[in-house]
Amino acid sequence: MKGIITEEQAYQKLSALCASAEHCSHEMAEKMRRWQMSEDAMARVMERLVSDKFVDDERYCRFFVRDKIRYNKWGRRKVEQALYMKRIPEDISARILDEVDPQIYIDILRPLLQAKRKSVKAGSDYELNGKLIRFALGRGFSIEEAKECLE
């Protein structure tokens, strides 16, 4: 099936997109699928984007991890799941997540829980801590990190 866009047009559009912000190979492939490009044309464009350093999943992962932890205040599990959804290879994502100092998660979670504590309605300290731990788990933090911040 003939695509609605040529390989050169796809390369131009995608390289311009990548020049303005980091994108992973999965996002580029999805765009080309929406443009109904053939698999071999997609492979050639992707190869060119990677060789010209417009797409680099490891670089993308590094920025993604940093931004989601720093700005979105996510824990490791939530970042892992998001990278899985972006189809970042596990060897890349695990290595980059392992580089993050575990203390950073604690430093992010502690003020989040202090702020949440003010808005949570609970009948007892036990119930309050349960709700705060569930909140932390929902943000992607481990139960150990939540307990450490609540002590």
Side-chain angles (χ1 to χ4, degrees), residues 2-52:
K2 177 96 173 79
I4 57 173
I5 186 171
T6 68
E7 283 183 45
E8 189 55 36
Q9 288 171 322
Y11 176 79
Q12 293 300 326
K13 283 184 173 197
L14 295 176
S15 61
L17 187 65
C18 290
S20 65
E22 280 297 327
H23 293 280
C24 65
S25 53
H26 175 67
E27 291 170 337
M28 299 296 99
E30 285 301 306
K31 284 208 177 296
M32 290 187 278
R33 266 189 210 96
R34 283 197 297 274
W35 295 337
Q36 300 172 353
M37 291 180 69
S38 67
E39 288 295 321
D40 56 326
M42 285 172 51
R44 286 191 298 272
V45 171
M46 186 61 71
E47 190 177 308
R48 200 168 151 201
L49 288 168
V50 170
S51 68
D52 292 348

Side-chain angles (χ1 to χ4, degrees), residues 78-147:
K78 193 162 183 171
V79 175
E80 277 176 341
Q81 288 172 332
L83 289 170
Y84 176 80
M85 297 301 289
K86 298 264 185 201
R87 295 198 172 90
I88 299 296
E90 196 175 328
D91 61 314
I92 294 174
S93 63
R95 188 176 70 246
I96 290 172
L97 281 164
D98 288 343
E99 292 172 6
V100 177
D101 180 1
Q103 187 60 42
I104 290 174
Y105 296 117
I106 300 298
D107 295 344
I108 286 171
L109 182 58
R110 190 166 277 129
L112 278 177
L113 289 177
Q114 287 169 350
K116 186 70 175 169
R117 182 182 296 270
K118 294 174 183 151
S119 66
V120 171
K121 305 281 185 276
S124 65
D125 282 349
Y126 180 80
E127 186 184 353
L128 174 67
N129 284 343
K131 288 181 176 186
L132 291 173
I133 287 172
R134 275 194 298 283
F135 169 76
L137 293 174
R139 293 299 287 253
F141 294 94
S142 71
I143 197 156
E144 292 79 19
E145 291 163 339
K147 286 179 177 176

Side-chain angles (χ1 to χ4, degrees), residues 38-89:
S38 67
E39 288 295 321
D40 56 326
M42 285 172 51
R44 286 191 298 272
V45 171
M46 186 61 71
E47 190 177 308
R48 200 168 151 201
L49 288 168
V50 170
S51 68
D52 292 348
K53 305 258 188 285
F54 283 111
V55 173
D56 180 343
D57 282 348
E58 186 166 338
R59 184 180 64 211
Y60 172 83
C61 184
R62 206 170 287 286
F63 283 112
F64 186 89
V65 167
R66 188 196 64 203
D67 288 354
K68 293 304 175 189
I69 292 171
R70 183 182 296 164
Y71 301 115
N72 295 46
K73 307 209 181 310
W74 286 3
R76 181 182 173 119
R77 283 293 304 139
K78 193 162 183 171
V79 175
E80 277 176 341
Q81 288 172 332
L83 289 170
Y84 176 80
M85 297 301 289
K86 298 264 185 201
R87 295 198 172 90
I88 299 296

